[in-house]
Amino acid sequence: MFRFPKNYDVIVIGAGHAGIEAALAASRMGAQTLLLTMNLDTIGQMSCNPAIGGLAKGQIVREIDALGGEMGLNTDATGIQFRMLNASKGPSVRSPRAQCDKKAYQFRVKSTCEKQPNLDVKQGSIAEILTANDHVEGVLTNMGVAYYSKSVIITTGTFLQALMHVGLKNTPGGRMGDQASGLSKSLKDIGFELLRLKTGTPPRINKRGIDFSQLSPQMGDTPPPSFSYLTDTITKQPDDIFTLNYWKDEMFHVEQLPCWLTYTSAATHEVIHANLDKSPMYCGVIEGIGPRYCPSIEDKVVRFADKDRHQLFLEPEGRHTEEYYIQGCSTSLPFEVQIQIIQSIPGLEKAEIMRPGYAVEYDFSPPTQLQPSLETKKIQGLYFAGQINGTSGYEEAAGQGLMAGINAALQVQGKPPLILGRHEAYIGVMIDDLVTKGTQEPYRMFTSRAEYRLHLRQDNADLRLTGRGHEIGLASASRLKRVQEKRRLMDELQVVLKTQNHEGQPLHQWLKRPNFSWSDLPASFQQTAADVALQLETEIKYAGYLDRDIAQIEKARATEDRPIPDWINYDEIKGLKREAQIKLKTVQPKNFGQASRISGINPSDVALLRVHVKRGNSTSPAES
């Protein structure tokens, strides 16, 4: 074994969306960080759909940005189509979404990592997690190189003991062209439980064979809605071949590419039904549970037999490639069957498959084995983030990676972790769901999971979180100043509204009056004041609902945030049923709110717990 001479504060294993955010966050907070990946050429690769955001996911990306993360900026710089979903609906369910140039996104974020101070980027496959006395010490690669650190973050995505399935044939690998990770054995040896999940991806086809006359175009919004609150700082330098869009010199100058809509046909369904015996899902070859909300095309045809067609979206993978991604057509059927399926779809009769679709089966760690900080309960200084925790999606992974990186850096600094509450962020909702309830299927974020979703809108993530990001040393002073200026401008506009808007018009319309001048506003907001006005209008229009939410939040915090003492012994609580004892011991909730959200724990169980804590025990002082 060769011990690498440099010691680190934080080591991040895996350079997908979770690993990137973890490594950048830790290094930007001053921690000496090492990012290790099996392949330097695939840092930040979009293994599935080259899109960022969407319902609830867009809120997560904006929260990542508000805290000082990278995903929003990288998306704005490399996006090829931008839309605000649910724009005609209420503000609590509006979400930005962008189609990205797949390679530009990957190359730009790789360059960002390589240039980041305090961050070393190296290639290596991890064979073992090094521990001593229930503390992490570092990692050992399969080449016998040992890297030592104070904390380790595992973000292995779909690569743990991964198998790729095309028809009844399977090969090791977490992504087409990449090998699997053998880290599962080390994790099991430490004592972690691992289970199996499954995900999949559709075929990619060549643009030359698409008959666009049979398809319906899906255009982006004008002007394009951005993700980052610092989008106007993006510039394309002479040597920057990765930034596709111009934001600073020509605000919102993005040449957008259309996506296209088509549908499956009766012939498509006939081909699928005739070949189900060749599907690894229906033959029992795949044991892992797949994503309920993103089923394969064969699963959709079987489960929704009453529907005579299903939507499919053709999405370009970049400006400089002819590849198109077929959203809604994930499959693991044999290659020859995939050809029949694709050529039975209107507009794709002459399409050629460039890459076949496939399923990936992989190990994941049930997330109830984690603290709310994403640190493992078994090993101090060891964190899990991303799909290893049973989630799906780039955005969910990036949100976890950001928080793991933040908390690993804070631990090195001897500071308490940053735990976002359910009332503060979608990221907080997601992590609380995972560590409290666990998951039996790939977890996906929805607006319906957030009980305070009107408060957790995509347009106010900066007002909610940038202050928190600045306190921990991640969000910059200039970012914080901009948020403070935004709040000041909103307050000023509200005063103006009350004193000058005698007609009671909506604020964003009132600002369009003939005698209004953008030059009257602070320079940093002359291009975005309309959005600020719309946000203020939302706050005014929904003030009653927001006030009710705030009252509920304060009431819940008064009871739910009450900590559960460390001395608690669930086996000693009289009247508590055995099932509740087991679940409480497994999750080890930090407070009564978390305890009440554990699956299978009912209000009477929590009431018994409250009484027991209030009385105290023979060796601990009673709590009042």
Side-chain angles (χ1 to χ4, degrees):
M1 182 179 75
F2 167 69
R3 176 166 181 159
F4 193 74
K6 181 178 179 179
N7 287 352
Y8 291 92
D9 295 320
V10 179
I11 292 177
V12 180
I13 302 173
H17 302 281
I20 287 167
E21 295 294 347
L24 289 175
S27 57
R28 288 169 177 173
M29 292 172 65
Q32 292 297 318
T33 306
L34 171 63
L35 177 60
L36 281 167
T37 174
M38 290 192 295
N39 188 348
L40 286 174
D41 296 328
T42 56
I43 291 176
Q45 182 157 313
M46 303 174 110
S47 305
C48 199
N49 189 354
I52 296 293
L55 302 180
K57 295 169 178 281
Q59 280 88 331
I60 290 178
V61 179
R62 286 212 147 184
E63 290 173 353
I64 291 169
D65 182 77
L67 286 164
E70 190 66 26
M71 179 173 270
L73 274 168
N74 205 60
T75 300
D76 289 343
T78 61
I80 56 179
Q81 189 193 86
F82 296 82
R83 296 180 64 194
M84 182 64 71
L85 304 185
N86 284 340
S88 62
K89 297 184 179 180
S92 65
V93 295
R94 295 172 193 158
S95 301
R97 181 185 186 274
Q99 195 73 18
C100 291
D101 185 299
K102 181 176 181 177
K103 285 300 178 184
Y105 186 99
Q106 175 190 343
F107 291 153
R108 187 179 185 277
V109 79
K110 179 176 186 287
S111 176
T112 299
C113 290
E114 292 171 345
K115 295 174 181 176
Q116 175 63 40
N118 300 323
L119 177 59
D120 293 346
V121 181
K122 298 183 184 296
Q123 185 165 295
S125 181
I126 307 305
E128 184 180 348
I129 304 298
L130 304 177
T131 64
N133 301 319
D134 296 330
H135 284 67
V136 75
E137 288 194 327
V139 300
L140 179 67
T141 73
N142 59 1
M143 295 180 65
V145 180
Y147 295 94
Y148 282 81
S149 66
K150 298 174 183 176
S151 62
V152 172
I153 304 172
I154 300 180
T155 69
T156 44
T158 62
F159 284 76
L160 283 181
Q161 210 68 22
L163 280 177
M164 296 182 295
H165 298 266
V166 179
L168 301 182
K169 298 180 180 179
N170 59 68
T171 56
R175 177 173 54 216
M176 194 68 75
D178 287 311
Q179 61 184 326
S181 168
L183 190 56
S184 290
K185 182 181 183 303
S186 178
L187 294 176
K188 288 180 180 178
D189 289 344
I190 295 172
F192 289 102
E193 178 188 10
L194 298 180
L195 300 175
R196 298 288 275 178
L197 288 179
K198 169 257 178 189
T199 189
T201 191
R204 272 67 158 183
I205 60 174
N206 195 305
K207 178 181 178 181
R208 292 181 307 180
I210 301 174
D211 181 2
F212 290 100
S213 67
Q214 297 188 57
L215 312 182
S216 301
Q218 307 290 303
M219 310 304 292
D221 294 344
T222 303
S226 60
F227 279 94
S228 176
Y229 294 96
L230 299 182
T231 293
D232 62 312
T233 65
I234 298 174
T235 58
K236 184 173 181 180
Q237 303 299 329
D239 62 343
D240 185 0
I241 63 171
F242 312 127
T243 298
L244 301 177
N245 303 323
Y246 299 83
W247 296 91
K248 187 172 184 179
D249 299 329
E250 300 178 57
M251 183 61 72
F252 301 123
H253 176 71
V254 181
E255 182 184 351
Q256 301 193 68
L257 302 182
C259 296
W260 301 84
L261 172 65
T262 186
Y263 296 87
T264 58
S265 67
T268 309
H269 296 197
E270 289 176 7
V271 170
I272 291 172
H273 279 295
N275 290 279
L276 286 177
D277 60 327
K278 301 171 186 175
S279 167
M281 281 178 43
Y282 286 89
C283 292
V285 175
I286 294 179
E287 299 176 359
I289 300 172
R292 187 196 324 177
Y293 305 103
C294 188
S296 66
I297 189 64
E298 53 262 40
D299 207 21
K300 283 192 283 190
V301 168
V302 171
R303 286 168 52 190
F304 306 105
D306 57 316
K307 294 186 178 294
D308 57 6
R309 66 177 190 172
H310 295 279
Q311 278 188 338
L312 301 174
F313 290 93
L314 272 62
E315 301 173 338
E317 295 225 327
R319 296 193 191 278
H320 308 292
T321 178
E322 299 297 283
E323 280 191 80
Y324 269 69
Y325 177 99
I326 311 176
Q327 186 190 120
C329 197
S330 173
T331 183
S332 57
L333 284 164
F335 181 64
E336 63 272 17
V337 178
Q338 294 186 34
I339 294 174
Q340 296 178 53
I341 291 172
I342 295 303
Q343 295 185 346
S344 70
I345 297 168
L348 306 185
E349 293 86 352
K350 297 181 180 180
E352 293 287 338
I353 293 178
M354 298 178 72
R355 306 175 197 243
Y358 58 94
V360 181
E361 193 177 16
Y362 57 95
D363 287 348
F364 85 103
S365 171
T368 51
Q369 299 176 100
L370 302 176
Q371 308 279 4
S373 64
L374 298 182
E375 184 181 22
T376 65
K377 295 172 181 175
K378 290 183 180 294
I379 305 296
Q380 186 174 342
L382 181 62
Y383 297 77
F384 292 171
Q387 286 180 277
I388 189 175
N389 292 336
T391 58
S392 67
Y394 306 144
E395 304 83 1
E396 290 91 340
Q400 294 172 71
L402 180 76
M403 299 309 297
I406 287 171
N407 287 325
L410 289 174
Q411 186 182 70
V412 169
Q413 297 168 8
K415 298 177 181 178
L418 173 65
I419 309 295
L420 297 177
R422 298 181 70 90
H423 62 286
E424 292 180 287
Y426 271 83
I427 294 174
V429 173
M430 171 180 63
I431 292 177
D432 182 68
D433 280 351
L434 291 171
V435 303
T436 302
K437 302 175 183 177
T439 186
Q440 300 298 316
E441 61 184 358
Y443 177 97
R444 179 178 177 179
M445 178 52 71
F446 293 100
T447 54
S448 59
R449 294 189 189 272
E451 52 267 61
Y452 306 114
R453 55 186 171 272
L454 182 59
H455 182 65
L456 306 180
R457 305 187 309 277
Q458 55 84 27
D459 64 333
N460 69 355
D462 55 342
L463 296 175
R464 290 187 278 117
L465 296 174
T466 296
R468 301 294 300 276
H470 181 68
E471 287 173 3
I472 60 172
L474 183 56
S476 65
S478 60
R479 181 186 283 269
L480 178 65
K481 183 178 180 181
R482 179 173 293 210
V483 173
Q484 293 170 337
E485 182 73 358
K486 176 181 177 180
R487 184 74 261 178
R488 186 188 67 79
L489 177 59
M490 291 176 67
D491 292 341
E492 285 184 1
L493 290 177
Q494 189 163 15
V495 171
V496 172
L497 173 66
K498 292 178 179 179
T499 58
Q500 298 184 19
N501 182 15
H502 305 296
E503 296 81 12
Q505 289 180 291
L507 182 56
H508 69 288
Q509 293 182 9
W510 182 76
L511 284 173
K512 296 177 182 178
R513 67 194 191 282
N515 62 339
F516 176 77
S517 173
W518 290 107
S519 60
D520 295 338
L521 301 174
S524 60
F525 285 99
Q526 289 179 19
Q527 295 288 350
T528 59
D531 291 335
V532 172
L534 185 59
Q535 183 174 336
L536 179 57
E537 183 191 349
T538 298
E539 292 190 1
I540 294 171
K541 183 177 181 180
Y542 293 93
Y545 296 100
L546 289 168
D547 289 343
R548 184 189 64 185
D549 273 1
I550 292 172
Q552 290 177 344
I553 290 169
E554 293 303 320
K555 182 179 179 180
R557 292 181 67 183
T559 55
E560 292 193 359
D561 285 359
R562 186 182 177 192
I564 296 174
D566 293 336
W567 56 256
I568 198 77
N569 185 339
Y570 295 107
D571 293 327
E572 294 180 351
I573 301 178
K574 294 181 179 180
L576 191 64
K577 58 184 183 292
R578 184 59 180 164
E579 178 188 1
Q581 290 175 342
I582 293 172
K583 290 191 172 183
L584 287 165
K585 286 192 292 185
T586 299
V587 175
Q588 300 173 29
K590 295 295 185 182
N591 54 54
F592 285 96
Q594 188 183 2
S596 69
R597 290 188 292 275
I598 298 173
S599 177
I601 299 298
N602 58 45
S604 63
D605 298 325
V606 178
L608 288 170
L609 177 58
R610 288 186 187 279
V611 171
H612 186 76
V613 170
K614 186 174 182 179
R615 289 176 178 172
N617 68 6
S618 58
T619 59
S620 301
E623 295 192 1
S624 58

